Amino acid sequence: MGRPACTARPPLFCPHSRRSPRPRRRIRPVCGCMAYTGLTKLLALPLLGAGAAERLGHRARPVRAILFDKSSATNWSLGWHQDRTIAVRARADVPGYGPWSIKAGMQHVEPPFSLIERMVTIRIHLDPVPHDNAPLLVAPGSHRFGRVADPALAEIVARCGTAICLADRGDVWIYATPILHASAAAARGGHRRVLQVDFSADRLPFELEWLGI
C-alpha cells in the first residue's frame, strides 16, 4: 500500500484500503439520525465493520459517527490529543463516569479509560488526503501508555514518533481509539471530508446507553 504507518499493527493499520481568530469547525453528528439509515448497513460486520469485528469480536458495533468537513470556509487545526469521551443517549449518574459535556449537540461523558482502550475507530475518507489536505497524524504505539495527561503528550509523541495517514478517496484507516493523534489545517482548496466511526463491543452499565448510529 506504500504508506509506512500501515505496517504498525496493532497501533495503526488500514485493512480496508481500496485504492488569529479561532477557526471554524464543520462537524456534523450522524448518530441516531434516521436520514442515515444506509450508514448502518455500510458499517455492518460483513462490510466496513469487519475490521472492527476482527479486533473486538462479533459483538462489535458502531457507537458514534461524526462527519468532519474541512474546506477553505471551515478550516481548523487540532493539536495532539487523546479521545477520552463517548456519546450516550442521555445523562445518568453512574460511578466512574464523568465529567459530562455536550459536543456537536451530543451528550458525552468520560468513562473509565479501560472502556476506551477496548475500542477501535475507523476513518472513511470521502476526499483525497495528500500531504497538503490535513492528513491525520498519529503517534504509533501511544495507545499502550493508557490515559496520557495533557502535560505528558509532547513527551509521549516524541518517544513514539509520528506517522502520516495519507489516503485516497475511499480509503479506510482503522486504529486503536486511545492513540494520540493530531491534524493541521488544510493548505489546499476544496474539501477534506472524513467520516469517523467509533466501535465497541461493550455494554454500558445501569441506565447508560450508547447513542449509536
Side-chain angles (χ1 to χ4, degrees), residues 31-33 61 63 86-92 100 102 105-109 204 207-213:
C31 299
C33 180
R61 63 189 183 101
V63 295
I86 59 174
V88 297
R89 290 186 178 275
R91 179 166 179 164
W100 291 81
I102 300 293
M106 298 181 289
Q107 184 75 69
H108 282 71
V109 64
L204 298 180
E207 299 91 352
L208 288 177
E209 294 183 52
W210 294 103
L211 181 57
I213 303 298

Side-chain angles (χ1 to χ4, degrees), residues 91-161:
R91 179 166 179 164
D93 292 329
V94 175
Y97 284 73
W100 291 81
S101 59
I102 300 293
K103 299 179 181 180
M106 298 181 289
Q107 184 75 69
H108 282 71
V109 64
E110 183 171 336
F113 198 73
S114 57
L115 178 69
I116 301 292
E117 291 177 312
R118 294 191 298 272
M119 295 174 63
V120 296
T121 298
I122 68 172
R123 288 171 64 91
I124 305 165
H125 297 83
L126 307 183
D127 298 296
V129 184
H131 283 89
D132 62 352
N133 204 21
L136 184 72
L137 308 176
V138 300
S142 57
H143 67 293
R144 298 194 182 101
F145 288 83
R147 189 184 190 282
V148 180
D150 290 347
L153 290 173
E155 177 187 353
I156 299 301
V157 172
R159 291 176 62 179
C160 294

Side-chain angles (χ1 to χ4, degrees), residues 37-94:
T37 52
L39 182 61
T40 302
K41 294 182 179 179
L42 181 65
L43 296 173
L45 300 190
L47 298 175
L48 291 175
E54 179 183 339
R55 289 151 183 89
L56 302 179
H58 71 280
R59 295 183 182 277
R61 63 189 183 101
V63 295
R64 176 176 64 174
I66 301 176
L67 177 66
F68 296 97
D69 184 4
K70 287 187 180 182
S71 68
S72 56
T74 54
N75 201 1
W76 69 90
S77 62
L78 199 58
W80 288 102
H81 67 286
Q82 189 174 46
D83 290 341
R84 302 172 184 164
T85 62
I86 59 174
V88 297
R89 290 186 178 275
R91 179 166 179 164
D93 292 329
V94 175

